[in-house]
Coordinates of all heavy atoms in Angstrom, one line a residue:
P120 N -5.4 -22.7 13.6 CA -5.6 -21.2 13.4 C -4.6 -20.7 12.5 O -3.4 -21.1 12.6 CB -5.3 -20.7 14.8 CG -4.4 -21.7 15.4 CD -4.7 -23.0 14.8
Y121 N -5.0 -19.9 11.5 CA -4.1 -19.3 10.5 C -3.2 -18.4 11.3 O -3.7 -17.4 11.8 CB -4.8 -18.6 9.4 CG -5.7 -19.6 8.7 CD1 -7.1 -19.5 8.9 CD2 -5.3 -20.5 7.8 CE1 -8.0 -20.4 8.2 CE2 -6.1 -21.4 7.1 CZ -7.5 -21.3 7.4 OH -8.3 -22.2 6.7
E122 N -1.9 -18.7 11.3 CA -0.9 -17.8 12.1 C 0.4 -18.0 11.5 O 0.8 -18.9 10.8 CB -0.9 -18.3 13.6 CG -0.5 -19.7 13.8 CD -0.6 -20.2 15.2 OE1 -0.4 -19.4 16.1 OE2 -0.8 -21.4 15.4
D123 N 1.3 -17.0 11.8 CA 2.7 -17.0 11.4 C 3.5 -17.6 12.5 O 3.6 -17.1 13.6 CB 3.1 -15.5 11.1 CG 4.6 -15.5 10.7 OD1 5.2 -16.5 10.5 OD2 5.1 -14.3 10.6
L124 N 4.0 -18.8 12.2 CA 4.7 -19.6 13.2 C 6.1 -18.9 13.5 O 6.7 -19.3 14.5 CB 4.9 -21.0 12.8 CG 3.6 -21.8 12.5 CD1 3.9 -23.2 12.0 CD2 2.8 -21.9 13.8
F125 N 6.5 -18.0 12.7 CA 7.8 -17.3 12.9 C 7.6 -15.9 13.6 O 8.6 -15.2 13.8 CB 8.6 -17.1 11.6 CG 9.2 -18.3 11.0 CD1 9.8 -18.3 9.8 CD2 9.1 -19.6 11.7 CE1 10.4 -19.4 9.2 CE2 9.7 -20.7 11.1 CZ 10.3 -20.6 9.9
Q126 N 6.4 -15.6 13.9 CA 6.1 -14.2 14.4 C 6.9 -13.9 15.7 O 7.3 -12.7 15.8 CB 4.6 -14.1 14.7 CG 4.1 -12.8 15.2 CD 2.6 -12.8 15.4 OE1 2.0 -13.8 15.3 NE2 2.1 -11.6 15.8
S127 N 7.1 -14.8 16.5 CA 7.8 -14.5 17.8 C 9.4 -14.6 17.7 O 10.1 -14.5 18.7 CB 7.3 -15.4 18.9 OG 7.7 -16.8 18.6
H128 N 9.9 -14.9 16.5 CA 11.3 -15.1 16.3 C 12.0 -13.7 16.5 O 11.6 -12.7 16.0 CB 11.7 -15.6 14.9 CG 11.4 -17.1 14.8 ND1 11.9 -17.8 13.7 CD2 10.7 -18.0 15.6 CE1 11.5 -19.1 13.8 NE2 10.8 -19.2 14.9
S129 N 13.1 -13.8 17.3 CA 14.0 -12.6 17.5 C 14.8 -12.4 16.2 O 15.0 -13.3 15.4 CB 14.8 -12.8 18.7 OG 15.8 -13.8 18.5
S130 N 15.5 -11.3 16.1 CA 16.5 -11.1 15.0 C 17.6 -12.1 15.1 O 18.0 -12.6 14.0 CB 17.1 -9.7 15.1 OG 16.1 -8.7 15.0
A131 N 18.0 -12.5 16.2 CA 19.1 -13.5 16.4 C 18.6 -14.8 15.9 O 19.4 -15.6 15.2 CB 19.6 -13.5 17.8
Q132 N 17.4 -15.2 16.2 CA 16.8 -16.5 15.8 C 16.7 -16.5 14.2 O 17.1 -17.5 13.6 CB 15.5 -16.8 16.4 CG 15.5 -17.1 17.9 CD 14.1 -17.2 18.5 OE1 13.4 -16.3 18.4 NE2 13.8 -18.3 19.0
K133 N 16.2 -15.4 13.7 CA 16.1 -15.3 12.3 C 17.4 -15.4 11.6 O 17.6 -16.2 10.6 CB 15.4 -13.9 11.9 CG 15.4 -13.7 10.4 CD 14.8 -12.3 10.1 CE 14.8 -12.0 8.7 NZ 14.3 -10.6 8.3
E134 N 18.4 -14.7 12.1 CA 19.8 -14.8 11.5 C 20.3 -16.2 11.6 O 20.9 -16.7 10.6 CB 20.7 -13.8 12.2 CG 22.1 -13.7 11.6 CD 22.1 -13.1 10.2 OE1 21.2 -12.3 9.9 OE2 23.0 -13.5 9.5
N135 N 20.1 -16.9 12.7 CA 20.6 -18.2 12.9 C 20.0 -19.2 11.9 O 20.6 -20.0 11.3 CB 20.4 -18.7 14.3 CG 20.9 -20.1 14.6 OD1 21.7 -20.6 13.9 ND2 20.4 -20.6 15.7
I136 N 18.6 -19.1 11.8 CA 17.9 -20.0 10.8 C 18.3 -19.7 9.4 O 18.6 -20.7 8.6 CB 16.4 -19.8 11.1 CG1 16.0 -20.5 12.4 CG2 15.6 -20.4 9.9 CD1 14.6 -20.2 12.9
M137 N 18.5 -18.4 9.0 CA 18.9 -18.1 7.7 C 20.3 -18.6 7.4 O 20.5 -19.2 6.3 CB 18.8 -16.6 7.4 CG 17.3 -16.1 7.4 SD 16.3 -16.9 6.2 CE 17.0 -16.2 4.7
Q138 N 21.2 -18.5 8.3 CA 22.5 -19.0 8.2 C 22.6 -20.5 8.0 O 23.3 -21.1 7.2 CB 23.4 -18.5 9.3 CG 23.8 -17.1 9.2 CD 24.7 -16.6 10.4 OE1 24.9 -17.4 11.3 NE2 25.1 -15.4 10.4
S139 N 21.7 -21.2 8.8 CA 21.6 -22.6 8.7 C 21.1 -23.1 7.4 O 21.7 -24.0 6.8 CB 20.7 -23.1 9.8 OG 21.2 -22.9 11.1
F140 N 20.1 -22.4 6.8 CA 19.6 -22.8 5.5 C 20.7 -22.5 4.4 O 20.9 -23.3 3.5 CB 18.3 -22.0 5.2 CG 17.1 -22.7 5.6 CD1 16.2 -22.1 6.5 CD2 16.8 -24.0 5.2 CE1 15.1 -22.7 6.9 CE2 15.6 -24.6 5.6 CZ 14.8 -24.0 6.5
C141 N 21.4 -21.4 4.6 CA 22.5 -21.1 3.6 C 23.6 -22.1 3.7 O 24.1 -22.5 2.6 CB 23.0 -19.7 3.9 SG 21.9 -18.3 3.4
A142 N 24.0 -22.6 4.8 CA 25.0 -23.6 5.0 C 24.5 -24.9 4.3 O 25.3 -25.6 3.6 CB 25.4 -23.8 6.4
L143 N 23.2 -25.2 4.6 CA 22.7 -26.4 4.0 C 22.7 -26.3 2.4 O 23.1 -27.2 1.7 CB 21.2 -26.6 4.4 CG 20.4 -27.7 3.7 CD1 21.1 -29.1 3.9 CD2 19.0 -27.7 4.3
Y144 N 22.3 -25.2 1.9 CA 22.3 -24.9 0.5 C 23.7 -25.1 -0.1 O 23.9 -25.7 -1.1 CB 21.7 -23.6 0.2 CG 21.7 -23.2 -1.3 CD1 20.9 -23.9 -2.2 CD2 22.6 -22.3 -1.8 CE1 20.9 -23.6 -3.6 CE2 22.6 -22.0 -3.2 CZ 21.8 -22.7 -4.0 OH 21.8 -22.4 -5.4
Y145 N 24.7 -24.5 0.6 CA 26.0 -24.5 0.1 C 26.5 -26.0 -0.1 O 27.0 -26.4 -1.1 CB 27.0 -23.8 1.1 CG 28.4 -24.1 0.8 CD1 29.1 -23.5 -0.2 CD2 29.1 -25.0 1.6 CE1 30.5 -23.7 -0.5 CE2 30.5 -25.3 1.4 CZ 31.1 -24.7 0.3 OH 32.4 -24.9 0.1
H146 N 26.2 -26.8 0.9 CA 26.7 -28.2 0.9 C 25.9 -29.0 -0.2 O 26.5 -29.9 -0.9 CB 26.6 -28.9 2.2 CG 27.7 -28.5 3.1 ND1 29.0 -28.9 3.0 CD2 27.7 -27.7 4.2 CE1 29.8 -28.4 3.9 NE2 29.0 -27.6 4.7
L147 N 24.6 -28.7 -0.3 CA 23.8 -29.4 -1.3 C 24.3 -29.0 -2.7 O 24.4 -29.9 -3.6 CB 22.3 -29.1 -1.2 CG 21.7 -29.6 0.1 CD1 20.3 -29.0 0.2 CD2 21.6 -31.1 0.1
L148 N 24.6 -27.7 -2.9 CA 25.1 -27.3 -4.2 C 26.4 -27.9 -4.5 O 26.7 -28.4 -5.7 CB 25.2 -25.7 -4.2 CG 25.4 -25.1 -5.6 CD1 24.3 -25.4 -6.5 CD2 25.6 -23.6 -5.4
C149 N 27.3 -27.9 -3.5 CA 28.6 -28.6 -3.7 C 28.5 -30.1 -4.0 O 29.2 -30.6 -4.9 CB 29.5 -28.4 -2.5 SG 30.1 -26.7 -2.3
A150 N 27.6 -30.7 -3.3 CA 27.4 -32.2 -3.6 C 26.9 -32.4 -5.0 O 27.4 -33.3 -5.7 CB 26.3 -32.7 -2.6
N151 N 26.0 -31.6 -5.4 CA 25.4 -31.7 -6.8 C 26.4 -31.4 -7.9 O 26.2 -31.8 -9.0 CB 24.1 -30.9 -6.9 CG 23.0 -31.5 -6.2 OD1 23.0 -32.7 -5.9 ND2 22.0 -30.7 -5.9
T152 N 27.4 -30.7 -7.6 CA 28.4 -30.3 -8.6 C 29.8 -31.1 -8.3 O 30.8 -30.7 -8.9 CB 28.7 -28.8 -8.6 OG1 29.1 -28.4 -7.3 CG2 27.4 -28.1 -9.1
S153 N 29.7 -32.1 -7.5 CA 30.9 -32.9 -7.2 C 31.4 -33.7 -8.3 O 30.5 -34.1 -9.1 CB 30.7 -33.8 -6.0 OG 30.4 -33.1 -4.8

Side-chain angles (χ1 to χ4, degrees):
Y121 301 103
E122 59 186 329
D123 179 5
L124 299 176
F125 288 176
Q126 183 177 4
S127 65
H128 285 191
S129 67
S130 295
Q132 286 173 305
K133 175 183 175 181
E134 185 66 28
N135 183 17
I136 288 169
M137 292 301 290
Q138 285 178 356
S139 295
F140 274 120
C141 287
L143 173 60
Y144 177 70
Y145 167 78
H146 284 287
L147 293 172
L148 192 61
C149 289
N151 287 337
T152 57
S153 294

